[in-house]
Amino acid sequence: MFHNDVIAVSNRQVLFCHEQAFVDQPALLQTLRERVPGFMPIEVPTGAVSVQDAVSTYLFNSQLLSRDDGSMILVLPQESQDHPGVWRYLNGLVAEDNPVSELRVFDLRESMANGGGPACLRLRVVLTPEEQRAVNPAVMMNETLFNTLNDWVDRYYRDRLTQADLVDPQLLREGREALDALTRILQLGSVYPFQQ
């Protein structure tokens, strides 16, 4: 695999992976069982989903999200539901005794075509209330910030670049203007050398 999120995803104590995801996988899983309290691997067997089908359906380019009751939701791209074998496996998974209690499917074709998908948002940092108070509130996503950032993208992002644009000093000026506006929106202060 060119990237781990094509063959495995984890959340808290759960590792959801293909049975061929790692070299010497049995030893790895045993080590994790010994070192991670409550560790629970969910291995997708090759007999149910081939590596090729897992990759082509973006099965592991998904997200496991925790619910308040301790169960988990598996957020998947539409391609996983469109493949009969993968979808059959996933429905069986939800029926089994494991934390995955719900499947949520989204059409992410546009995002996937541009190199994205649910895995792009995987990094989650849980903050204590004290840590959250220490974070600059201007960077916390809300509807106002979402709309402001969309307006920023509409204003500053070109819909295409040509080779000639790359030598045009105007592109550099536009980029700096965009970054300057973004740091003001997020109230970050002067973080780039050109802002000093």
Side-chain angles (χ1 to χ4, degrees), residues 22-23 27-28 38 50 90 102-103 124 132 137 157 160 166 171 178 193 196:
F22 302 99
V23 173
L28 170 67
S50 69
L90 289 167
E102 183 181 349
L103 306 173
R124 296 183 305 272
Q132 191 166 358
Y157 268 60
R160 67 184 53 88
L166 299 177
L171 180 62
Q196 309 302 320

Side-chain angles (χ1 to χ4, degrees), residues 90-116:
L90 289 167
N91 281 285
L93 175 69
V94 171
E96 293 174 6
D97 183 24
N98 65 68
V100 181
S101 64
E102 183 181 349
L103 306 173
R104 289 208 185 159
V105 177
F106 293 91
D107 182 354
L108 301 168
R109 285 180 177 90
E110 184 176 337
S111 178
M112 300 296 268
N114 291 309

Side-chain angles (χ1 to χ4, degrees), residues 83-194:
H83 187 284
V86 171
W87 191 240
R88 184 173 37 258
Y89 168 78
L90 289 167
N91 281 285
L93 175 69
V94 171
E96 293 174 6
D97 183 24
N98 65 68
V100 181
S101 64
E102 183 181 349
L103 306 173
R104 289 208 185 159
V105 177
F106 293 91
D107 182 354
L108 301 168
R109 285 180 177 90
E110 184 176 337
S111 178
M112 300 296 268
N114 291 309
C120 292
L121 303 176
R122 253 191 223 159
L123 176 62
R124 296 183 305 272
V125 179
V126 179
L127 303 175
T128 65
E130 181 182 351
E131 291 167 335
Q132 191 166 358
R133 285 189 297 275
V135 172
N136 172 1
V139 303
M140 301 302 281
M141 186 58 76
N142 57 43
E143 190 168 338
T144 301
L145 180 57
F146 179 79
N147 292 329
T148 301
L149 291 173
N150 275 326
D151 292 343
W152 177 83
V153 168
D154 290 342
R155 178 174 179 191
Y156 291 105
Y157 268 60
R158 294 182 180 198
D159 64 354
R160 67 184 53 88
L161 284 174
T162 66
Q163 196 170 19
D165 293 329
L166 299 177
V167 296
D168 184 353
Q170 182 59 30
L171 180 62
L172 176 62
R173 285 191 287 275
E174 288 174 13
R176 287 181 173 176
E177 184 182 329
L179 290 172
D180 195 46
L182 183 60
T183 57
R184 283 195 311 274
I185 290 168
L186 299 176
Q187 299 176 21
L188 299 176
S190 297
V191 296
Y192 295 102
F194 69 83

